[in-house]
Amino acid sequence: MSVRSGVAEVESSERVAQILDASARIFASKGYEGTSMRDISESCGISKSLLYHHFTNKDELYTRVAETATKELYSFVEGRVAAETDPTQRIRAFMLATAEYFHRYRWAWIASTNAFWSDPKRRRQKERMMRRKRYETHLRELIRDAVEAGQIRNVDEAMAGRLILSALNWMHRWYDPSKSATPHEIADTFFDLIFKGLENKG
Amino acid sequence: MSVRSGVAEVESSERVAQILDASARIFASKGYEGTSMRDISESCGISKSLLYHHFTNKDELYTRVAETATKELYSFVEGRVAAETDPTQRIRAFMLATAEYFHRYRWAWIASTNAFWSDPKRRRQKERMMRRKRYETHLRELIRDAVEAGQIRNVDEAMAGRLILSALNWMHRWYDPSKSATPHEIADTFFDLIFKGLENKG
DNA sequence: GCGCGCCTTGACCGGTCGGTCAGCTCCTCT
DNA sequence: AGAGGAGCTGACCGACCGGTCAAGGCGCGC
């Protein structure tokens, strides 16, 4: 495993970063319960004991992986949104930024998405849910602003927000990095489809 | 567990149906690996051995659950689509039928969705993927028909199809049956949003 | 009364799980 | 030279996993 996959790019220890990267990939493809500490240690070419030298237990290791997928998402997206002034373009920036974030932390994103249900630790889940809610509320505010600016029609912003997030959140299930379109292009296409609609007005 | 949750509604044996229903709920909430045969047997109030009397192993039990979520989806949706003639209304029927199917087999749907990755048996996955592809191809054909009929603009039908399916497939992550909107109403709202778009034309 | 099948059980199996521990190597600072 | 700490290992632990098996209860036809 020579190529880094996005997790812990600025991790102090080289080994810790290697473990986090390998864990992200394995958790993403096999789920939390389906991944054993032996799987991880063997994919890193190290002993299982060394995992416990760097991390207290499996749960902390998983949490570290999952956090990278969500922890800075909000501030990253907010920064991109703030760079735009036009209400509609702010929504587009929200979508493109989310896609870019997904692209960068793909395996960690998938790992945390797949274990959305069945979280053994409720404290962690509560924390993640709060970040999530803040992120979703932000989108709804952007939609509300665009409605008030007269740029989009008076839709239910909760449902419109869910539609946008569905398009972005389902992407990991079919996105193939070896194919042509980048997440950025995909998000842009979805923005066009959602904004203009399918209907032929001509 | 007195209430049936959709799986195996016409199952010959009462006990088998009970096991399938309980399994669907537990697989849905804890995943395949996270669910033990003891979990299932205890939630049914029976011994673990009895599970193996009715099912050969854990994999067959899971497969039986997962199949109910996908096996008849295509023919069910196709039937609803065939009842409509207008190309746009056929797309709407596709969406409403999918939402209704999800509503009916909710736990089995979630269980099979969550275990999309990490499928130990490749044969089964291949089978499911073929059904899935047929289902998705059908939608793309409906979109193409509507484009050719001049009802929707000349969009990329693959991306338009993915947008529609994303909205439907992500629903299980936020749908709450205790809340007001039914899957039918949700799908109808999504159809309206996707068809007309967010843009204010006035 | 009695044998026969079906549903059902508890005891048990080998294997794997997450996690622990004593101790090894090797580099650094004094 | 030697003390000490970080990185690292293999042997090991109890718990739990999926799965097996011999046998018990029990209704039904003869």
Side-chain angles (χ1 to χ4, degrees), chain A residues 6 15 21 23 43 49 78 87 91 93 95 104 112 118 121 124 127 130 138 140 144 149 158 167 170 174-175 179 190:
Chain A
R15 178 114 296 169
D21 283 341
S23 299
S43 94
S49 307
E78 193 176 37
I91 294 174
M95 293 179 67
R104 176 137 43 176
S112 79
S118 76
K121 309 286 179 197
R124 305 282 189 186
E127 207 177 314
M130 278 183 62
H138 186 199
R140 290 185 190 182
R144 176 57 40 197
W170 194 251
W174 58 271
Y175 168 68
K179 299 287 172 59
F190 277 151

PDB file of all heavy atoms in Angstrom, chain A residues 6 15 21 23 43 49 78 87 91 93 95 104 112 118 121 124 127 130 138 140 144 149 158 167 170 174-175 179 190:
ATOM      1  N   GLY A   6      -5.857   9.811   1.451  1.00  0.00           N
ATOM      2  CA  GLY A   6      -6.536  11.019   1.898  1.00  0.00           C
ATOM      3  C   GLY A   6      -6.633  11.205   3.399  1.00  0.00           C
ATOM      4  O   GLY A   6      -6.666  12.320   3.876  1.00  0.00           O
ATOM      5  N   ARG A  15       3.881   6.094  10.385  1.00  0.00           N
ATOM      6  CA  ARG A  15       3.201   4.812  10.639  1.00  0.00           C
ATOM      7  C   ARG A  15       1.724   5.009  10.961  1.00  0.00           C
ATOM      8  O   ARG A  15       0.873   4.274  10.456  1.00  0.00           O
ATOM      9  CB  ARG A  15       3.907   4.101  11.789  1.00  0.00           C
ATOM     10  CG  ARG A  15       3.270   2.795  12.182  1.00  0.00           C
ATOM     11  CD  ARG A  15       4.131   1.578  11.912  1.00  0.00           C
ATOM     12  NE  ARG A  15       4.421   1.313  10.516  1.00  0.00           N
ATOM     13  CZ  ARG A  15       5.323   0.438  10.094  1.00  0.00           C
ATOM     14  NH1 ARG A  15       6.028  -0.262  10.957  1.00  0.00           N
ATOM     15  NH2 ARG A  15       5.521   0.231   8.809  1.00  0.00           N
ATOM     16  N   ASP A  21      -4.763   5.221   6.809  1.00  0.00           N
ATOM     17  CA  ASP A  21      -5.115   5.062   5.395  1.00  0.00           C
ATOM     18  C   ASP A  21      -5.607   3.651   5.094  1.00  0.00           C
ATOM     19  O   ASP A  21      -6.634   3.459   4.446  1.00  0.00           O
ATOM     20  CB  ASP A  21      -3.907   5.389   4.513  1.00  0.00           C
ATOM     21  CG  ASP A  21      -3.686   6.887   4.396  1.00  0.00           C
ATOM     22  OD1 ASP A  21      -4.632   7.641   4.678  1.00  0.00           O
ATOM     23  OD2 ASP A  21      -2.578   7.293   4.018  1.00  0.00           O
ATOM     24  N   SER A  23      -6.777   1.499   7.220  1.00  0.00           N
ATOM     25  CA  SER A  23      -8.031   1.276   7.943  1.00  0.00           C
ATOM     26  C   SER A  23      -9.207   1.853   7.179  1.00  0.00           C
ATOM     27  O   SER A  23     -10.264   1.226   7.090  1.00  0.00           O
ATOM     28  CB  SER A  23      -7.958   1.922   9.325  1.00  0.00           C
ATOM     29  OG  SER A  23      -6.911   1.363  10.079  1.00  0.00           O
ATOM     30  N   SER A  43      -2.519  -5.834   6.327  1.00  0.00           N
ATOM     31  CA  SER A  43      -2.447  -4.974   5.142  1.00  0.00           C
ATOM     32  C   SER A  43      -1.354  -3.916   5.303  1.00  0.00           C
ATOM     33  O   SER A  43      -0.865  -3.370   4.317  1.00  0.00           O
ATOM     34  CB  SER A  43      -3.799  -4.311   4.889  1.00  0.00           C
ATOM     35  OG  SER A  43      -3.857  -3.045   5.475  1.00  0.00           O
ATOM     36  N   SER A  49      -0.146  -6.214  17.511  1.00  0.00           N
ATOM     37  CA  SER A  49       0.211  -5.501  18.744  1.00  0.00           C
ATOM     38  C   SER A  49       0.561  -4.047  18.480  1.00  0.00           C
ATOM     39  O   SER A  49       0.265  -3.170  19.293  1.00  0.00           O
ATOM     40  CB  SER A  49       1.407  -6.188  19.406  1.00  0.00           C
ATOM     41  OG  SER A  49       1.168  -7.555  19.591  1.00  0.00           O
ATOM     42  N   GLU A  78     -18.274  25.797   4.003  1.00  0.00           N
ATOM     43  CA  GLU A  78     -18.633  27.169   4.348  1.00  0.00           C
ATOM     44  C   GLU A  78     -17.683  28.172   3.702  1.00  0.00           C
ATOM     45  O   GLU A  78     -18.095  29.225   3.212  1.00  0.00           O
ATOM     46  CB  GLU A  78     -18.630  27.351   5.872  1.00  0.00           C
ATOM     47  CG  GLU A  78     -19.279  28.639   6.330  1.00  0.00           C
ATOM     48  CD  GLU A  78     -19.326  28.715   7.850  1.00  0.00           C
ATOM     49  OE1 GLU A  78     -18.375  28.256   8.513  1.00  0.00           O
ATOM     50  OE2 GLU A  78     -20.324  29.237   8.374  1.00  0.00           O
ATOM     51  N   PRO A  87     -26.878  34.192  -4.623  1.00  0.00           N
ATOM     52  CA  PRO A  87     -27.531  33.105  -3.876  1.00  0.00           C
ATOM     53  C   PRO A  87     -27.509  31.764  -4.603  1.00  0.00           C
ATOM     54  O   PRO A  87     -27.226  30.723  -3.984  1.00  0.00           O
ATOM     55  CB  PRO A  87     -28.962  33.614  -3.699  1.00  0.00           C
ATOM     56  CG  PRO A  87     -28.828  35.088  -3.664  1.00  0.00           C
ATOM     57  CD  PRO A  87     -27.724  35.401  -4.644  1.00  0.00           C
ATOM     58  N   ILE A  91     -25.357  28.066  -3.667  1.00  0.00           N
ATOM     59  CA  ILE A  91     -25.840  26.683  -3.610  1.00  0.00           C
ATOM     60  C   ILE A  91     -24.941  25.778  -4.457  1.00  0.00           C
ATOM     61  O   ILE A  91     -24.551  24.693  -4.036  1.00  0.00           O
ATOM     62  CB  ILE A  91     -27.297  26.599  -4.101  1.00  0.00           C
ATOM     63  CG1 ILE A  91     -28.227  27.337  -3.131  1.00  0.00           C
ATOM     64  CG2 ILE A  91     -27.728  25.140  -4.250  1.00  0.00           C
ATOM     65  CD1 ILE A  91     -29.656  27.437  -3.606  1.00  0.00           C
ATOM     66  N   ALA A  93     -21.837  26.326  -5.171  1.00  0.00           N
ATOM     67  CA  ALA A  93     -20.557  26.202  -4.466  1.00  0.00           C
ATOM     68  C   ALA A  93     -20.652  25.161  -3.350  1.00  0.00           C
ATOM     69  O   ALA A  93     -19.715  24.386  -3.118  1.00  0.00           O
ATOM     70  CB  ALA A  93     -20.142  27.556  -3.894  1.00  0.00           C
ATOM     71  N   MET A  95     -22.496  22.509  -3.350  1.00  0.00           N
ATOM     72  CA  MET A  95     -22.474  21.177  -3.975  1.00  0.00           C
ATOM     73  C   MET A  95     -21.076  20.820  -4.464  1.00  0.00           C
ATOM     74  O   MET A  95     -20.598  19.701  -4.233  1.00  0.00           O
ATOM     75  CB  MET A  95     -23.475  21.132  -5.130  1.00  0.00           C
ATOM     76  CG  MET A  95     -24.923  21.237  -4.670  1.00  0.00           C
ATOM     77  SD  MET A  95     -26.117  21.221  -6.043  1.00  0.00           S
ATOM     78  CE  MET A  95     -25.911  19.558  -6.664  1.00  0.00           C
ATOM     79  N   ARG A 104     -11.557  13.972  -2.023  1.00  0.00           N
ATOM     80  CA  ARG A 104     -10.301  13.986  -1.279  1.00  0.00           C
ATOM     81  C   ARG A 104     -10.248  12.905  -0.207  1.00  0.00           C
ATOM     82  O   ARG A 104      -9.239  12.263  -0.005  1.00  0.00           O
ATOM     83  CB  ARG A 104     -10.107  15.360  -0.641  1.00  0.00           C
ATOM     84  CG  ARG A 104      -8.882  15.455   0.229  1.00  0.00           C
ATOM     85  CD  ARG A 104      -8.109  16.725   0.050  1.00  0.00           C
ATOM     86  NE  ARG A 104      -8.961  17.911  -0.025  1.00  0.00           N
ATOM     87  CZ  ARG A 104      -8.477  19.156  -0.100  1.00  0.00           C
ATOM     88  NH1 ARG A 104      -7.175  19.350  -0.099  1.00  0.00           N
ATOM     89  NH2 ARG A 104      -9.296  20.180  -0.169  1.00  0.00           N
ATOM     90  N   SER A 112     -17.370   6.024   6.946  1.00  0.00           N
ATOM     91  CA  SER A 112     -18.259   6.653   7.922  1.00  0.00           C
ATOM     92  C   SER A 112     -19.704   6.598   7.463  1.00  0.00           C
ATOM     93  O   SER A 112     -20.616   6.485   8.272  1.00  0.00           O
ATOM     94  CB  SER A 112     -17.837   8.099   8.178  1.00  0.00           C
ATOM     95  OG  SER A 112     -18.272   8.951   7.140  1.00  0.00           O
ATOM     96  N   SER A 118     -25.989   1.267  13.246  1.00  0.00           N
ATOM     97  CA  SER A 118     -25.156   0.391  14.079  1.00  0.00           C
ATOM     98  C   SER A 118     -23.900   1.048  14.630  1.00  0.00           C
ATOM     99  O   SER A 118     -22.814   0.539  14.475  1.00  0.00           O
ATOM    100  CB  SER A 118     -24.736  -0.838  13.285  1.00  0.00           C
ATOM    101  OG  SER A 118     -23.706  -0.545  12.369  1.00  0.00           O
ATOM    102  N   LYS A 121     -21.112   3.338  19.896  1.00  0.00           N
ATOM    103  CA  LYS A 121     -20.962   4.439  20.847  1.00  0.00           C
ATOM    104  C   LYS A 121     -21.933   5.565  20.523  1.00  0.00           C
ATOM    105  O   LYS A 121     -21.816   6.206  19.477  1.00  0.00           O
ATOM    106  CB  LYS A 121     -19.535   4.999  20.812  1.00  0.00           C
ATOM    107  CG  LYS A 121     -18.457   3.941  20.958  1.00  0.00           C
ATOM    108  CD  LYS A 121     -18.353   3.435  22.387  1.00  0.00           C
ATOM    109  CE  LYS A 121     -17.272   2.369  22.479  1.00  0.00           C
ATOM    110  NZ  LYS A 121     -17.363   1.561  23.688  1.00  0.00           N
ATOM    111  N   ARG A 124     -20.378   9.397  20.312  1.00  0.00           N
ATOM    112  CA  ARG A 124     -19.768   9.776  19.039  1.00  0.00           C
ATOM    113  C   ARG A 124     -20.844  10.085  18.005  1.00  0.00           C
ATOM    114  O   ARG A 124     -20.736  11.040  17.251  1.00  0.00           O
ATOM    115  CB  ARG A 124     -18.893   8.635  18.527  1.00  0.00           C
ATOM    116  CG  ARG A 124     -17.839   8.153  19.503  1.00  0.00           C
ATOM    117  CD  ARG A 124     -16.656   9.101  19.543  1.00  0.00           C
ATOM    118  NE  ARG A 124     -15.550   8.540  20.302  1.00  0.00           N
ATOM    119  CZ  ARG A 124     -14.455   9.214  20.590  1.00  0.00           C
ATOM    120  NH1 ARG A 124     -14.316  10.464  20.209  1.00  0.00           N
ATOM    121  NH2 ARG A 124     -13.488   8.647  21.278  1.00  0.00           N
ATOM    122  N   GLU A 127     -22.404  13.419  18.433  1.00  0.00           N
ATOM    123  CA  GLU A 127     -21.484  14.468  17.981  1.00  0.00           C
ATOM    124  C   GLU A 127     -21.546  14.606  16.463  1.00  0.00           C
ATOM    125  O   GLU A 127     -21.644  15.721  15.926  1.00  0.00           O
ATOM    126  CB  GLU A 127     -20.073  14.070  18.424  1.00  0.00           C
ATOM    127  CG  GLU A 127     -19.117  15.213  18.642  1.00  0.00           C
ATOM    128  CD  GLU A 127     -17.774  14.694  19.144  1.00  0.00           C
ATOM    129  OE1 GLU A 127     -17.780  13.847  20.066  1.00  0.00           O
ATOM    130  OE2 GLU A 127     -16.748  15.102  18.589  1.00  0.00           O
ATOM    131  N   MET A 130     -24.735  16.168  15.209  1.00  0.00           N
ATOM    132  CA  MET A 130     -24.806  17.614  15.365  1.00  0.00           C
ATOM    133  C   MET A 130     -24.066  18.325  14.228  1.00  0.00           C
ATOM    134  O   MET A 130     -24.569  19.302  13.677  1.00  0.00           O
ATOM    135  CB  MET A 130     -24.222  18.024  16.714  1.00  0.00           C
ATOM    136  CG  MET A 130     -25.193  17.885  17.870  1.00  0.00           C
ATOM    137  SD  MET A 130     -24.476  18.456  19.412  1.00  0.00           S
ATOM    138  CE  MET A 130     -24.166  20.190  19.021  1.00  0.00           C
ATOM    139  N   HIS A 138     -27.336  24.607   7.037  1.00  0.00           N
ATOM    140  CA  HIS A 138     -26.671  25.609   6.211  1.00  0.00           C
ATOM    141  C   HIS A 138     -27.233  25.593   4.786  1.00  0.00           C
ATOM    142  O   HIS A 138     -27.553  26.631   4.216  1.00  0.00           O
ATOM    143  CB  HIS A 138     -25.160  25.351   6.191  1.00  0.00           C
ATOM    144  CG  HIS A 138     -24.380  26.419   5.492  1.00  0.00           C
ATOM    145  ND1 HIS A 138     -23.111  26.231   5.037  1.00  0.00           N
ATOM    146  CD2 HIS A 138     -24.705  27.694   5.179  1.00  0.00           C
ATOM    147  CE1 HIS A 138     -22.665  27.337   4.460  1.00  0.00           C
ATOM    148  NE2 HIS A 138     -23.618  28.240   4.533  1.00  0.00           N
ATOM    149  N   ARG A 140     -30.143  24.525   3.806  1.00  0.00           N
ATOM    150  CA  ARG A 140     -31.532  25.012   3.782  1.00  0.00           C
ATOM    151  C   ARG A 140     -31.593  26.537   3.839  1.00  0.00           C
ATOM    152  O   ARG A 140     -32.447  27.162   3.206  1.00  0.00           O
ATOM    153  CB  ARG A 140     -32.318  24.417   4.959  1.00  0.00           C
ATOM    154  CG  ARG A 140     -32.559  22.926   4.789  1.00  0.00           C
ATOM    155  CD  ARG A 140     -33.429  22.362   5.875  1.00  0.00           C
ATOM    156  NE  ARG A 140     -33.427  20.903   5.801  1.00  0.00           N
ATOM    157  CZ  ARG A 140     -34.132  20.121   6.602  1.00  0.00           C
ATOM    158  NH1 ARG A 140     -34.897  20.653   7.535  1.00  0.00           N
ATOM    159  NH2 ARG A 140     -34.080  18.806   6.461  1.00  0.00           N
ATOM    160  N   ARG A 144     -33.295  29.000   1.189  1.00  0.00           N
ATOM    161  CA  ARG A 144     -34.243  30.039   1.619  1.00  0.00           C
ATOM    162  C   ARG A 144     -33.817  31.415   1.089  1.00  0.00           C
ATOM    163  O   ARG A 144     -34.637  32.197   0.591  1.00  0.00           O
ATOM    164  CB  ARG A 144     -34.317  30.026   3.151  1.00  0.00           C
ATOM    165  CG  ARG A 144     -35.174  31.069   3.852  1.00  0.00           C
ATOM    166  CD  ARG A 144     -36.623  31.109   3.456  1.00  0.00           C
ATOM    167  NE  ARG A 144     -37.240  29.810   3.245  1.00  0.00           N
ATOM    168  CZ  ARG A 144     -38.385  29.614   2.595  1.00  0.00           C
ATOM    169  NH1 ARG A 144     -39.052  30.657   2.100  1.00  0.00           N
ATOM    170  NH2 ARG A 144     -38.871  28.418   2.432  1.00  0.00           N
ATOM    171  N   ALA A 149     -34.551  35.839  -2.708  1.00  0.00           N
ATOM    172  CA  ALA A 149     -33.966  36.688  -3.756  1.00  0.00           C
ATOM    173  C   ALA A 149     -34.717  36.540  -5.072  1.00  0.00           C
ATOM    174  O   ALA A 149     -34.382  37.200  -6.059  1.00  0.00           O
ATOM    175  CB  ALA A 149     -32.492  36.327  -3.953  1.00  0.00           C
ATOM    176  N   ALA A 158     -36.744  22.134   2.942  1.00  0.00           N
ATOM    177  CA  ALA A 158     -36.299  20.863   3.522  1.00  0.00           C
ATOM    178  C   ALA A 158     -36.226  19.783   2.450  1.00  0.00           C
ATOM    179  O   ALA A 158     -35.241  19.038   2.362  1.00  0.00           O
ATOM    180  CB  ALA A 158     -37.249  20.436   4.640  1.00  0.00           C
ATOM    181  N   ALA A 167     -28.413  13.437  -3.983  1.00  0.00           N
ATOM    182  CA  ALA A 167     -27.571  13.324  -5.166  1.00  0.00           C
ATOM    183  C   ALA A 167     -26.097  13.230  -4.778  1.00  0.00           C
ATOM    184  O   ALA A 167     -25.349  12.429  -5.336  1.00  0.00           O
ATOM    185  CB  ALA A 167     -27.809  14.520  -6.090  1.00  0.00           C
ATOM    186  N   TRP A 170     -25.366   9.835  -2.452  1.00  0.00           N
ATOM    187  CA  TRP A 170     -25.468   8.531  -3.097  1.00  0.00           C
ATOM    188  C   TRP A 170     -24.311   8.296  -4.075  1.00  0.00           C
ATOM    189  O   TRP A 170     -24.097   7.184  -4.541  1.00  0.00           O
ATOM    190  CB  TRP A 170     -26.806   8.398  -3.831  1.00  0.00           C
ATOM    191  CG  TRP A 170     -27.129   7.001  -4.232  1.00  0.00           C
ATOM    192  CD1 TRP A 170     -27.136   6.491  -5.500  1.00  0.00           C
ATOM    193  CD2 TRP A 170     -27.477   5.907  -3.367  1.00  0.00           C
ATOM    194  NE1 TRP A 170     -27.466   5.157  -5.472  1.00  0.00           N
ATOM    195  CE2 TRP A 170     -27.684   4.780  -4.180  1.00  0.00           C
ATOM    196  CE3 TRP A 170     -27.630   5.790  -1.980  1.00  0.00           C
ATOM    197  CZ2 TRP A 170     -28.025   3.527  -3.651  1.00  0.00           C
ATOM    198  CZ3 TRP A 170     -27.979   4.546  -1.456  1.00  0.00           C
ATOM    199  CH2 TRP A 170     -28.167   3.448  -2.293  1.00  0.00           C
ATOM    200  N   TRP A 174     -21.818   4.736  -6.762  1.00  0.00           N
ATOM    201  CA  TRP A 174     -21.638   4.426  -8.179  1.00  0.00           C
ATOM    202  C   TRP A 174     -20.427   5.129  -8.789  1.00  0.00           C
ATOM    203  O   TRP A 174     -20.003   4.791  -9.892  1.00  0.00           O
ATOM    204  CB  TRP A 174     -22.896   4.806  -8.972  1.00  0.00           C
ATOM    205  CG  TRP A 174     -23.297   6.241  -8.856  1.00  0.00           C
ATOM    206  CD1 TRP A 174     -24.118   6.804  -7.926  1.00  0.00           C
ATOM    207  CD2 TRP A 174     -22.880   7.314  -9.704  1.00  0.00           C
ATOM    208  NE1 TRP A 174     -24.227   8.160  -8.130  1.00  0.00           N
ATOM    209  CE2 TRP A 174     -23.489   8.494  -9.216  1.00  0.00           C
ATOM    210  CE3 TRP A 174     -22.065   7.398 -10.841  1.00  0.00           C
ATOM    211  CZ2 TRP A 174     -23.299   9.738  -9.822  1.00  0.00           C
ATOM    212  CZ3 TRP A 174     -21.876   8.642 -11.432  1.00  0.00           C
ATOM    213  CH2 TRP A 174     -22.490   9.781 -10.920  1.00  0.00           C
ATOM    214  N   TYR A 175     -19.844   6.083  -8.071  1.00  0.00           N
ATOM    215  CA  TYR A 175     -18.689   6.802  -8.597  1.00  0.00           C
ATOM    216  C   TYR A 175     -17.503   5.855  -8.793  1.00  0.00           C
ATOM    217  O   TYR A 175     -17.158   5.092  -7.895  1.00  0.00           O
ATOM    218  CB  TYR A 175     -18.292   7.936  -7.653  1.00  0.00           C
ATOM    219  CG  TYR A 175     -16.947   8.543  -7.985  1.00  0.00           C
ATOM    220  CD1 TYR A 175     -16.756   9.271  -9.154  1.00  0.00           C
ATOM    221  CD2 TYR A 175     -15.855   8.369  -7.134  1.00  0.00           C
ATOM    222  CE1 TYR A 175     -15.520   9.811  -9.460  1.00  0.00           C
ATOM    223  CE2 TYR A 175     -14.621   8.912  -7.432  1.00  0.00           C
ATOM    224  CZ  TYR A 175     -14.465   9.629  -8.604  1.00  0.00           C
ATOM    225  OH  TYR A 175     -13.248  10.161  -8.918  1.00  0.00           O
ATOM    226  N   LYS A 179     -13.322   6.048 -14.276  1.00  0.00           N
ATOM    227  CA  LYS A 179     -14.134   6.583 -15.366  1.00  0.00           C
ATOM    228  C   LYS A 179     -13.849   8.066 -15.567  1.00  0.00           C
ATOM    229  O   LYS A 179     -13.165   8.688 -14.761  1.00  0.00           O
ATOM    230  CB  LYS A 179     -15.627   6.364 -15.055  1.00  0.00           C
ATOM    231  CG  LYS A 179     -16.020   4.905 -14.918  1.00  0.00           C
ATOM    232  CD  LYS A 179     -16.042   4.169 -16.243  1.00  0.00           C
ATOM    233  CE  LYS A 179     -16.252   2.671 -16.055  1.00  0.00           C
ATOM    234  NZ  LYS A 179     -17.503   2.365 -15.352  1.00  0.00           N
ATOM    235  N   PHE A 190     -25.319  17.649 -11.696  1.00  0.00           N
ATOM    236  CA  PHE A 190     -26.485  17.538 -10.823  1.00  0.00           C
ATOM    237  C   PHE A 190     -27.063  18.919 -10.511  1.00  0.00           C
ATOM    238  O   PHE A 190     -28.286  19.087 -10.471  1.00  0.00           O
ATOM    239  CB  PHE A 190     -26.117  16.818  -9.525  1.00  0.00           C
ATOM    240  CG  PHE A 190     -26.121  15.321  -9.645  1.00  0.00           C
ATOM    241  CD1 PHE A 190     -25.279  14.545  -8.845  1.00  0.00           C
ATOM    242  CD2 PHE A 190     -26.961  14.671 -10.530  1.00  0.00           C
ATOM    243  CE1 PHE A 190     -25.287  13.163  -8.956  1.00  0.00           C
ATOM    244  CE2 PHE A 190     -26.969  13.276 -10.639  1.00  0.00           C
ATOM    245  CZ  PHE A 190     -26.129  12.533  -9.843  1.00  0.00           C
TER     246      PHE A 190
END
